[in-house]
PDB file of all heavy atoms in Angstrom:
ATOM      1  N   SER A 405      14.889  13.942 -30.366  1.00 90.00           N
ATOM      2  CA  SER A 405      15.748  14.166 -31.578  1.00 90.00           C
ATOM      3  C   SER A 405      17.182  14.080 -31.131  1.00 90.00           C
ATOM      4  O   SER A 405      17.474  14.329 -29.985  1.00 90.00           O
ATOM      5  CB  SER A 405      15.445  15.497 -32.255  1.00 90.00           C
ATOM      6  OG  SER A 405      15.791  16.576 -31.434  1.00 90.00           O
ATOM      7  N   VAL A 406      18.054  13.619 -32.031  1.00 93.00           N
ATOM      8  CA  VAL A 406      19.490  13.473 -31.729  1.00 93.00           C
ATOM      9  C   VAL A 406      20.065  14.931 -31.860  1.00 93.00           C
ATOM     10  O   VAL A 406      19.926  15.584 -32.876  1.00 93.00           O
ATOM     11  CB  VAL A 406      20.208  12.592 -32.698  1.00 93.00           C
ATOM     12  CG1 VAL A 406      21.733  12.644 -32.446  1.00 93.00           C
ATOM     13  CG2 VAL A 406      19.642  11.162 -32.628  1.00 93.00           C
ATOM     14  N   ARG A 407      20.681  15.319 -30.689  1.00 91.00           N
ATOM     15  CA  ARG A 407      21.259  16.666 -30.631  1.00 91.00           C
ATOM     16  C   ARG A 407      22.748  16.755 -30.874  1.00 91.00           C
ATOM     17  O   ARG A 407      23.318  17.573 -31.495  1.00 91.00           O
ATOM     18  CB  ARG A 407      20.934  17.366 -29.250  1.00 91.00           C
ATOM     19  CG  ARG A 407      19.364  17.740 -29.131  1.00 91.00           C
ATOM     20  CD  ARG A 407      19.146  19.037 -29.846  1.00 91.00           C
ATOM     21  NE  ARG A 407      20.123  20.038 -29.486  1.00 91.00           N
ATOM     22  CZ  ARG A 407      20.052  20.706 -28.331  1.00 91.00           C
ATOM     23  NH1 ARG A 407      19.097  20.496 -27.408  1.00 91.00           N
ATOM     24  NH2 ARG A 407      21.020  21.588 -27.977  1.00 91.00           N
ATOM     25  N   LYS A 408      23.430  15.707 -30.144  1.00 93.00           N
ATOM     26  CA  LYS A 408      24.956  15.719 -30.208  1.00 93.00           C
ATOM     27  C   LYS A 408      25.339  14.342 -30.463  1.00 93.00           C
ATOM     28  O   LYS A 408      24.811  13.287 -29.932  1.00 93.00           O
ATOM     29  CB  LYS A 408      25.495  16.291 -28.943  1.00 93.00           C
ATOM     30  CG  LYS A 408      25.342  17.839 -28.889  1.00 93.00           C
ATOM     31  CD  LYS A 408      26.120  18.389 -27.641  1.00 93.00           C
ATOM     32  CE  LYS A 408      25.979  19.962 -27.571  1.00 93.00           C
ATOM     33  NZ  LYS A 408      26.716  20.472 -26.373  1.00 93.00           N
ATOM     34  N   LEU A 409      26.489  14.246 -31.132  1.00 95.00           N
ATOM     35  CA  LEU A 409      27.312  12.984 -31.371  1.00 95.00           C
ATOM     36  C   LEU A 409      28.676  13.206 -30.881  1.00 95.00           C
ATOM     37  O   LEU A 409      29.315  14.252 -31.237  1.00 95.00           O
ATOM     38  CB  LEU A 409      27.262  12.543 -32.850  1.00 95.00           C
ATOM     39  CG  LEU A 409      25.864  12.309 -33.510  1.00 95.00           C
ATOM     40  CD1 LEU A 409      26.011  12.118 -34.926  1.00 95.00           C
ATOM     41  CD2 LEU A 409      25.156  11.128 -32.838  1.00 95.00           C
ATOM     42  N   ALA A 410      29.206  12.271 -30.149  1.00 94.00           N
ATOM     43  CA  ALA A 410      30.619  12.351 -29.627  1.00 94.00           C
ATOM     44  C   ALA A 410      31.353  11.063 -29.998  1.00 94.00           C
ATOM     45  O   ALA A 410      31.032   9.970 -29.552  1.00 94.00           O
ATOM     46  CB  ALA A 410      30.645  12.573 -28.078  1.00 94.00           C
ATOM     47  N   VAL A 411      32.438  11.225 -30.888  1.00 94.00           N
ATOM     48  CA  VAL A 411      33.184  10.093 -31.354  1.00 94.00           C
ATOM     49  C   VAL A 411      34.672  10.451 -31.200  1.00 94.00           C
ATOM     50  O   VAL A 411      35.126  11.479 -31.835  1.00 94.00           O
ATOM     51  CB  VAL A 411      32.848   9.783 -32.788  1.00 94.00           C
ATOM     52  CG1 VAL A 411      33.780   8.646 -33.331  1.00 94.00           C
ATOM     53  CG2 VAL A 411      31.404   9.400 -32.889  1.00 94.00           C
ATOM     54  N   ASP A 412      35.381   9.695 -30.465  1.00 89.00           N
ATOM     55  CA  ASP A 412      36.937   9.822 -30.325  1.00 89.00           C
ATOM     56  C   ASP A 412      37.275  11.302 -29.958  1.00 89.00           C
ATOM     57  O   ASP A 412      38.167  11.907 -30.611  1.00 89.00           O
ATOM     58  CB  ASP A 412      37.581   9.392 -31.579  1.00 89.00           C
ATOM     59  CG  ASP A 412      37.523   7.947 -31.736  1.00 89.00           C
ATOM     60  OD1 ASP A 412      37.390   7.139 -30.781  1.00 89.00           O
ATOM     61  OD2 ASP A 412      37.548   7.520 -32.988  1.00 89.00           O
ATOM     62  N   GLY A 413      36.568  11.939 -29.102  1.00 85.00           N
ATOM     63  CA  GLY A 413      36.918  13.269 -28.622  1.00 85.00           C
ATOM     64  C   GLY A 413      36.312  14.323 -29.519  1.00 85.00           C
ATOM     65  O   GLY A 413      36.258  15.525 -29.065  1.00 85.00           O
ATOM     66  N   ALA A 414      35.821  13.998 -30.682  1.00 91.00           N
ATOM     67  CA  ALA A 414      35.121  15.053 -31.550  1.00 91.00           C
ATOM     68  C   ALA A 414      33.638  15.066 -31.210  1.00 91.00           C
ATOM     69  O   ALA A 414      32.956  14.004 -31.095  1.00 91.00           O
ATOM     70  CB  ALA A 414      35.284  14.662 -32.997  1.00 91.00           C
TER      71      ALA A 414
END
Side-chain angles (χ1 to χ4, degrees):
S405 65
V406 176
R407 288 280 310 282
K408 286 186 178 180
L409 300 171
V411 176
D412 292 331

